[in-house]
Amino acid sequence: MDAAKTGGDVLFVLMGAVMVLAMHCGFALLEVGTVRRKNQVNALVKILSDFAMSTIAYFFVGYAVAYGIDFFADAHTLVGKGSGGFAAYGYDLVKFFFLATFAAAVPAIVSGGIAERARFWPQAGATLALIALFYPLLEGTVWGTRFGLQGWMAATFGQPFHDFAGSVVVHAFGGWVALGAVLNLGNRRGRYRPNGSLIAIPPSNIPFLALGAWVLCVGWFGFNVMSAQVLDGVTGLVALNSLMAMVGGIVTSLVISRTDPGFVHNGALAGLVAVCAGSDVMHPLGALVTGGIAGLLFVWAFNKCQIDWKIDDVLGVWPLHGLCGLTGGLLAGVFGQEALGGLGGVSILSQIVGTLGGAGFGLASGLAVYGLLRVTVGIRLDPEQEYKGADLSLHHITAYPEEDAPSM
């Protein structure tokens, strides 16, 4: 029975890892559909390359920073046949794969904010730094035992900080890192008139944007449900709460945006971002309200960023991941309470401290990493490269080479 259970857990986590891996296709398509045609190839290459850089950084450094575990033993030990403490059937290996796909979501989030004007290799360097050191420090603190912070919050507030599937650890952290990156990078040239008014840049391809959102939505059920990481811990409550939060985000963004397709598809993602933290403890009605609040917040904050605050976050990743992730971390402490139909085991004070701490650490990480790169090697394309587009400037080909070729 133990062998069957462990083998089942391996397959379960592996399926989750593959579903979250597929979400990176969604990140790429969402960015391709949002940026201008001259930057679509760059979006595709950047997302895939950042995934590779993240995995390398996480394998060699980041996972050890988070959990004190490395994979430099022989293969017999890694699959649980030696004396190194690894679980049988390579469970620890597929768990690494699963968590590595989470880690790689951070640069995928940042990518959407800095699109159309960021240099390629400095961004790759930022990814290495973020996933080798900064992200694992937060991950190990919340999901591991680093620094004893969870024990302190449990002793002080009655419960540890609760973030089941990463509203704060992944999404808020990534979104607030992205804000630091965008502030260091500056706005796209031609985004604002001399008087400060906004020059509209519509999405280049609504079908790609929509397809990316759909791929992300489907993969998210692996992101949330499989965060149990063992079959004994899986619950249909997480699946239903994810669904309800998704539709809540769709409906509110649909209404407030007056059926704008970009906002509607991102509204679904806003709801899913927000419900990650409390998806295992909320009542489905609480998840619906959480998603609805996130959908409203995203539309409002995106417009405020672009129009009033003059923050040129291309895909709105700070509103979507940073603010909606922060909101989800806080609301887990509200709708997770037994008095509101939840399962309990959460403290609103722990949620406030953990959520604000995670977001603040993300912003500090983004300002530090991208600020250092800006003053040392530079992080922005020169004006001519930005005008030509990142596709031709960096990759020497457009997304539609036959269409863009000069006529004979």
Side-chain angles (χ1 to χ4, degrees):
M1 290 298 293
D2 287 343
K5 178 184 180 303
T6 303
D9 289 342
V10 169
L11 181 60
F12 176 70
V13 176
L14 177 60
M15 290 174 60
V18 171
M19 290 181 73
V20 183
L21 173 63
M23 290 176 70
H24 290 268
C25 173
F27 280 121
L29 290 172
L30 188 69
E31 187 170 335
V32 166
T34 305
V35 300
R36 287 169 286 188
R37 284 169 56 114
K38 62 183 180 179
N39 296 298
Q40 290 178 332
V41 171
N42 179 246
L44 294 169
V45 176
K46 189 170 44 165
I47 294 291
L48 186 62
S49 301
D50 278 344
F51 185 89
M53 296 292 181
S54 294
T55 303
I56 290 170
Y58 200 59
F59 181 86
F60 284 103
V61 182
Y63 200 70
V65 171
Y67 302 107
I69 298 171
D70 63 60
F71 301 102
F72 302 126
D74 61 82
H76 281 283
T77 301
L78 294 179
V79 296
K81 295 182 178 180
S83 58
F86 285 89
Y89 298 98
Y91 172 80
D92 294 292
L93 308 186
V94 294
K95 181 180 177 181
F96 165 82
F97 180 14
F98 181 64
L99 292 175
T101 61
F102 277 52
V106 171
I109 291 167
V110 174
S111 175
I114 64 174
E116 300 203 326
R117 76 273 202 203
R119 294 177 60 199
F120 186 85
W121 289 112
Q123 168 57 17
T127 295
L128 290 173
L130 288 167
I131 306 307
L133 180 59
F134 294 93
Y135 170 78
L137 286 173
L138 179 62
E139 178 189 15
T141 299
V142 176
W143 289 340
T145 58
R146 294 301 192 198
F147 308 114
L149 185 62
Q150 289 284 43
W152 174 81
M153 283 201 279
T156 304
F157 305 125
Q159 296 290 342
F161 173 58
H162 188 87
D163 188 11
F164 178 70
S167 285
V168 176
V169 173
V170 178
H171 296 287
F173 177 79
W176 286 85
V177 167
L179 176 61
V182 169
L183 293 176
N184 272 290
L185 196 61
N187 301 329
R188 285 172 289 178
R189 291 177 173 86
R191 183 56 165 153
Y192 298 96
R193 297 182 179 90
N195 65 3
S197 61
L198 180 73
I199 297 175
I201 302 176
S204 62
N205 192 307
I206 294 297
F208 274 154
L209 184 157
L211 181 59
W214 271 107
V215 172
L216 284 165
C217 286
V218 172
W220 224 295
F221 288 85
F223 196 99
N224 284 1
V225 174
M226 270 80 164
S227 284
Q229 297 184 23
V230 290
L231 277 170
D232 285 349
V234 70
T235 168
L237 182 64
V238 176
L240 181 56
N241 282 345
S242 301
L243 179 67
M244 297 304 287
M246 182 184 80
V247 300
I250 292 170
V251 170
T252 56
S253 61
L254 178 72
V255 173
I256 193 175
S257 73
R258 301 180 182 179
T259 71
D260 179 278
F263 283 132
V264 171
H265 286 90
N266 277 285
L269 307 182
L272 287 163
V273 166
V275 82
C276 287
S279 57
D280 64 326
V281 294
M282 291 181 178
H283 187 278
L285 290 176
L288 179 65
V289 174
T290 296
I293 291 171
L296 292 171
L297 176 62
F298 172 71
V299 176
W300 174 83
F302 182 89
N303 286 325
K304 292 294 286 187
C305 280
Q306 300 291 337
I307 299 170
D308 296 332
W309 299 336
K310 307 294 188 294
I311 300 173
D312 189 16
D313 176 354
V314 179
L315 269 68
V317 297
W318 177 55
L320 179 61
H321 298 274
L323 294 182
C324 293
L326 185 151
T327 301
L330 297 176
L331 291 180
V334 176
F335 293 115
Q337 300 288 343
E338 290 187 54
L340 292 176
L343 295 180
V346 292
S347 161
I348 186 61
L349 292 177
S350 290
Q351 295 307 116
I352 291 171
V353 172
T355 298
L356 296 182
F361 181 66
L363 177 59
S365 301
L367 290 172
V369 171
Y370 286 91
L372 179 61
L373 287 169
R374 178 175 59 83
V375 299
T376 53
V377 298
I379 58 176
R380 182 162 187 147
L381 296 176
D382 64 42
E384 182 179 354
Q385 290 176 317
E386 188 175 343
Y387 176 78
K388 287 173 58 180
D391 292 358
L392 285 175
S393 297
L394 301 178
H395 309 291
H396 314 295
I397 191 170
T398 68
Y400 311 93
E402 291 186 351
E403 293 181 20
D404 297 333
S407 57
M408 299 300 290

